[in-house]
Amino acid sequence: MTTAAAPVSSQSGAAVAPPAAVPMSGRVKKKLTSRFATVTAVVIAVLWTVPTAGLFISSFRPANDIRANGWWNFFTDPAVTLDNYSEVLFSTSAGSGQLAGYFLNSVVITVPTVLFALALAAFAAYAIAWIPFRGASWVFIGIFALQIVPLQMALVPLLRLFSEGVSIGETNIIPAPELIGAQRFATVWFAHVCFSLPIGIFLLHNFISELPGELMEAARMDGASHSRIFRQIVLPLIGPALASFAIFQFLWVWNDLLVALIFAGGNPQVAPLTVRLAELAGTRGEEFQRLTSGAFISIVVPVIIFLALQRYFVRGLLAGGLKG
Amino acid sequence: MTARPLNRRRRAAAGIVGLALAATACGTGGSTASEGEADADASLPAGCEDYADYAGSSGTEVSMYTSIRDIEADRYVQSFEEFEKCTGITINYEGSGEFEAQLNVKVQGGNAPDIAFIPQPGLLQRFVQAGKVMEVPEGTAENVEEFWSEAWKEYGSVDGKLYAAPMGANVKSYVWYSPSQFEEAGYEVPTTLDELMALSDEIAGSGKKPWCAGIESGDATGWPATDWVEDMMLRTAGAETYDQWVNHEIPFNDDAVVEAVDAVGAILKNEKYVNAGFGDVRSIATTSFQDAGTPILEGECFLHRQASFYANQWPEGTTVAEDGDVFAFYLPSESEDSKPVLGGGEFVAAFADRPEVQKVQTYLSSDEYANTKAEIGDWISANTGLDVANVKNPIDQLSVETLQDESAEFRFDGSDLMPAAVGAGSFWNGMTEWINGAETKQVLDGIEESWPSS
């Protein structure tokens, strides 16, 4: 379980670090590496990991054992089975599991969403930072302010846009897109991208605007267009920020239940893992043992992504957030 | 509005399949009803004579949204198969655990399902008042008139108009027990409330605790205790007072309610009676309702009050039958003559009035459907056309008998009829506090205050 402990400790480290101004950093560093701090970090990590570990152990216990007693009984009375996994992954009943198909849906929802959001946010951030136009800072403030609008407020209007289009009075300005079957992925992408753009633009803008202006000027002197500057100068330099935003976005979309429920619903063609997971336990929770294995199947991908990219995560977030 | 995409698909599908295109497809206005029907009949596959009433909408789709999922959802899908094959109407079933909240969003967002199974008459009423639910078509109204009792019809109606036909049902007035355990100890199934209390005393006198209970259920913790109170209300105060209480014609903290809650307290808050297999009174609040009955199997507990659907909660391999491991008896009333029954069920509400939607609605309210669905298993309805012989397992047979019993007086689960702030909020929380030691009067006062004023 050391894998799960790693993000916890690095996160707590990150949370403490930012307030440390330059002259204090040495002292803070010393305090953070003291024996006491290490012990505290380990204790916190263990405490945070216990429930997850319990869930993990439970997922290998037989259903009747899970119901009868707690996961710690595993150590005195070990009984291992893969039934929970095979049931949720491969059962033929439409009711119980078939997570494999939903797993794919989750990928189909998450990957394009992350790419769209990254592309749009990077373009917008570059434009606001380096293309001088009237009201650029107002646009930025507007986008920044949008972060405080809770996405729950936008759910019903957005759903209406997809089901009825937009009408003023009797005239239909934007017709309803009439999406059926797998086309409904588009609505989920659209919703997720919309909701992630303000924070994305904000993060990337702070990073991009910090790039030295001399670079851009020199490139422009050499006759480079904005698209060329963006491709050849900006993109290679903002890698860490892009990566951190990508992880952020990936974790958010992968774990999202609300947006998926509303825009994809329980339709097996488009519903992601989270929606399925929420329904796995049965109408009255009579099959709750399935949640143990189901949860771990859905955790696997985010954990891999996080571990693979975590060094960018902390670095990129700080880079964007420290600008002040 | 929602008809648009379907219409387009309907045309396409009809074109591809080539089924009686001219008459059945997009209704160009020229064809008369009789022509349409004649052609549609001709297009029914062999062996589908029973479905003649529902013909004529081949190639259409109906979306269905419910709170029922998992294996029970599979059984619904299975029950539609023949209807779909014969009529050519495709039913897209979708079950969700967030049904109540999601239905609201879907309806608001203009994305309402064609048909929803609403388990709370209170919720149905809200949608009707917002003008979203269609009145039932004539065929459905006739079926309801013929097959359902007045009480059930009433729960599907708002201001005297029928908006939703009843669907599945469950009976809550049951006490689970172990027949073999009873036989060994020489206990008899009680037929009056006094006998039940006497039996509890007898078991308690033998040094064992008679009752086990659990009301933990995630964010709905407390609901099993509200069922207890409702059941007792029907017994100590009678059905009329119960109706007044549910409709808030008498305050929530009325003396009749206090009496009923104290009657529950005589069992659930009696240290000698509970909580067999788990601990003291307070352990009721932390025991999940799914697990609460299991001590019966281990011989630690004798009585567990829970609805008929608890049959699915027993561990695999448990025989639920009168001569099996566990079974249920009717929670007796004060005398053998009165037989109030507390129960729940779903209502089929339609948010669209396209012909295919109405056909599905009418089919679901028919006795043929009730029998088809019951044969698949683990499902019952209060449809009086349901033949007990088609119901497979003993507990469902018992439930159907209870529901169809002439002398039984059916009442719907009160917390599903009350405003959500109470029925799915303060009532649940209040009962949890009550189990945790709060005084009856004080708890009921609190719930009364939380009743929405409008």
Side-chain angles (χ1 to χ4, degrees):
Chain A
M1 276 289 91
T2 47
T3 51
V8 173
S9 53
S10 63
Q11 264 175 346
S12 56
V16 181
V22 184
M24 283 175 67
S25 65
R27 239 170 66 205
V28 170
K29 197 175 175 190
K30 208 168 159 193
K31 269 192 185 162
L32 280 179
T33 47
S34 74
R35 187 161 301 160
F36 175 72
T38 312
V39 170
T40 315
V42 169
V43 168
I44 291 175
V46 168
L47 278 181
W48 279 40
T49 313
V50 165
T52 320
L55 189 70
F56 187 66
I57 292 171
S58 284
S59 70
F60 290 104
R61 301 180 74 211
N64 282 345
D65 283 14
I66 297 180
R67 281 158 180 276
N69 47 42
W71 56 269
W72 48 88
N73 290 291
F74 177 81
F75 299 109
T76 50
D77 172 28
V80 178
T81 170
L82 285 174
D83 285 356
N84 295 328
Y85 284 92
S86 68
E87 191 184 356
V88 297
L89 273 178
F90 306 114
S91 68
T92 47
S93 140
S96 59
Q98 293 184 320
L99 283 187
Y102 292 88
F103 196 90
L104 268 185
N105 286 352
S106 264
V107 174
V108 173
I109 286 176
T110 311
V111 172
T113 308
V114 171
L115 294 180
F116 291 151
L118 273 183
L120 290 175
F123 290 150
Y126 173 79
I128 293 169
W130 292 108
I131 301 180
F133 63 94
R134 248 164 173 313
S137 44
W138 283 110
V139 170
F140 182 65
I141 290 171
I143 291 171
F144 182 63
L146 278 179
Q147 282 185 78
I148 57 173
V149 178
L151 72 87
Q152 285 84 346
M153 282 180 58
L155 293 177
V156 169
L158 201 52
L159 192 59
R160 223 176 246 178
L161 169 72
F162 286 123
S163 59
E164 296 171 357
V166 179
S167 306
I168 295 181
E170 292 294 301
T171 22
N172 199 290
I173 299 178
I174 305 175
E178 301 193 359
L179 300 169
I180 42 172
Q183 293 172 355
R184 292 190 60 189
F185 276 125
T187 63
V188 189
W189 294 338
F190 188 87
H192 272 305
V193 172
C194 286
F195 295 138
S196 66
L197 277 183
I199 180 81
I201 295 174
F202 173 69
L203 280 176
L204 293 181
H205 174 271
N206 283 353
F207 201 91
I208 291 176
S209 64
E210 267 178 31
L211 298 174
E214 294 85 355
L215 271 179
M216 315 284 167
E217 274 162 30
R220 220 167 294 143
M221 293 295 251
D222 291 342
S225 63
H226 276 299
S227 72
R228 186 153 187 176
I229 297 177
F230 180 76
R231 264 183 298 128
Q232 300 198 322
I233 297 176
V234 175
L235 265 191
L237 287 173
I238 60 169
L242 283 180
S244 79
F245 178 52
I247 305 172
F248 224 8
Q249 179 70 0
F250 188 95
L251 295 180
W252 160 248
V253 175
W254 186 274
N255 290 328
D256 162 79
L257 174 65
L258 183 67
V259 174
L261 252 187
I262 286 169
F263 294 97
N267 183 342
Q269 275 179 299
V270 285
L273 264 182
T274 46
V275 169
R276 188 68 200 148
L277 208 53
E279 264 129 47
L280 214 50
T283 311
R284 296 188 182 84
E286 61 271 14
E287 303 281 357
F288 71 82
Q289 78 279 357
R290 289 183 192 154
L291 292 179
T292 56
S293 48
F296 267 88
I297 291 166
S298 91
I299 286 176
V300 166
V301 172
V303 166
I304 292 173
I305 297 277
F306 194 95
L307 291 181
L309 299 175
Q310 67 161 311
R311 59 201 173 97
Y312 293 112
F313 191 65
V314 175
R315 203 203 296 167
L317 268 191
L318 291 184
L322 276 181
K323 166 108 197 302
Chain B
M1 16 170 236
T2 42
R4 235 178 280 127
L6 287 167
N7 270 336
R8 205 185 55 178
R9 247 181 312 164
R10 176 168 131 184
R11 277 184 215 123
I16 295 160
V17 184
L19 278 177
L21 183 68
T24 57
C26 23
T28 39
S31 61
T32 65
S34 62
E35 259 176 37
E37 270 170 28
D39 273 7
D41 276 352
S43 71
L44 275 186
C48 289
E49 291 73 24
D50 292 349
Y51 296 91
D53 290 351
Y54 313 112
S57 294
S58 191
T60 55
E61 295 194 15
V62 174
S63 65
M64 190 177 277
Y65 191 55
T66 84
S67 60
I68 300 157
R69 38 202 198 281
D70 204 64
I71 179 106
E72 291 169 79
D74 288 355
R75 292 191 180 123
Y76 268 106
V77 173
Q78 196 186 338
S79 74
F80 303 140
E81 267 168 16
E82 198 168 293
F83 177 81
E84 292 180 298
K85 199 183 77 205
C86 284
T87 61
I89 299 174
T90 307
I91 296 175
N92 294 320
Y93 182 97
E94 180 184 338
S96 168
E98 281 76 19
F99 173 80
E100 284 85 6
Q102 284 298 309
L103 183 61
N104 226 334
V105 175
K106 279 175 181 258
V107 172
Q108 299 268 341
N111 199 17
D114 295 329
I115 286 179
F117 294 176
I118 300 181
Q120 299 98 348
L123 187 64
L124 172 69
Q125 201 174 351
R126 280 225 308 278
F127 284 118
V128 170
Q129 278 158 357
K132 304 288 187 188
V133 179
M134 303 292 159
E135 256 184 81
V136 295
E138 218 171 290
T140 313
E142 280 165 18
N143 279 341
V144 173
E145 198 61 53
E146 188 179 347
F147 297 121
W148 266 282
S149 71
E150 206 45 43
W152 277 95
K153 190 183 160 191
E154 194 53 41
Y155 290 124
S157 307
V158 178
D159 298 331
K161 279 187 191 156
L162 182 65
Y163 283 93
M167 180 81 186
N170 58 64
V171 178
K172 303 209 173 194
S173 302
Y174 282 139
V175 178
W176 289 87
Y177 73 111
S178 157
S180 55
Q181 205 183 7
F182 263 50
E183 203 176 321
E184 262 170 48
Y187 302 139
E188 297 268 326
V189 168
T191 50
T192 66
L193 210 48
D194 288 338
E195 280 180 37
L196 181 69
M197 297 309 279
L199 174 66
S200 306
D201 280 333
E202 196 184 336
I203 299 171
S206 74
K208 286 192 168 175
K209 287 184 178 178
W211 291 88
C212 44
I215 62 167
E216 190 273 327
S217 177
D219 54 5
T221 295
W223 72 258
T226 67
D227 284 3
W228 263 99
V229 172
E230 287 153 13
D231 245 341
M232 269 313 168
M233 245 336 252
L234 284 174
R235 281 158 182 77
T236 59
E240 258 173 60
T241 319
Y242 177 85
D243 289 340
Q244 290 172 344
W245 172 58
V246 167
N247 297 325
H248 209 223
E249 288 155 17
I250 59 170
F252 205 102
N253 50 3
D254 191 85
D255 288 343
V257 191
V258 175
E259 193 195 337
V261 175
D262 283 339
V264 177
I267 295 172
L268 287 190
K269 285 184 134 184
N270 186 337
E271 287 287 358
K272 290 202 201 85
Y273 284 5
V274 292
N275 189 5
F278 295 106
D280 59 357
V281 171
R282 277 158 192 262
S283 69
I284 293 174
T286 52
T287 303
S288 78
F289 89 93
Q290 289 101 332
D291 293 338
T294 43
I296 291 183
L297 294 174
E298 287 142 28
E300 289 175 39
C301 169
F302 291 81
L303 302 161
H304 176 62
R305 198 219 71 97
Q306 191 51 276
S308 53
F309 55 70
Y310 196 73
N312 297 330
Q313 299 286 359
W314 298 103
E316 257 170 72
T318 311
T319 326
V320 180
E322 204 156 3
D323 50 0
D325 301 324
V326 286
F327 203 57
F329 62 80
Y330 167 73
L331 176 66
S333 67
E334 289 190 319
S335 78
E336 278 180 62
D337 308 327
S338 73
K339 198 173 179 192
V341 174
L342 184 74
E346 302 95 38
F347 294 84
V348 182
F351 292 91
D353 56 2
R354 301 194 311 277
E356 61 270 23
V357 176
Q358 299 194 330
K359 279 168 191 160
V360 173
Q361 249 179 309
T362 305
Y363 175 61
L364 294 182
S365 64
S366 68
D367 53 338
E368 295 122 40
Y369 178 73
N371 285 301
T372 310
K373 180 74 175 77
E375 270 180 49
I376 294 172
D378 264 343
W379 182 88
I380 55 153
S381 163
N383 189 317
T384 51
L386 175 59
D387 186 353
V388 181
N390 286 330
V391 180
K392 282 198 195 116
N393 60 46
I395 184 70
D396 286 345
Q397 284 171 355
L398 180 69
S399 304
V400 173
E401 280 161 15
T402 308
L403 284 171
Q404 294 187 351
D405 188 337
E406 293 281 325
S407 64
E409 203 169 0
F410 180 84
R411 282 297 179 274
F412 208 88
D413 184 336
S415 49
D416 290 337
L417 298 166
M418 296 172 184
V422 178
S426 59
F427 195 6
W428 290 349
N429 303 338
M431 291 318 291
T432 312
E433 277 170 39
W434 179 78
I435 288 288
N436 276 326
E439 289 296 318
T440 306
K441 183 72 183 156
Q442 180 197 339
V443 166
L444 295 181
D445 287 347
I447 302 174
E448 169 62 21
E449 265 171 46
S450 72
W451 197 290
S453 48
S454 60

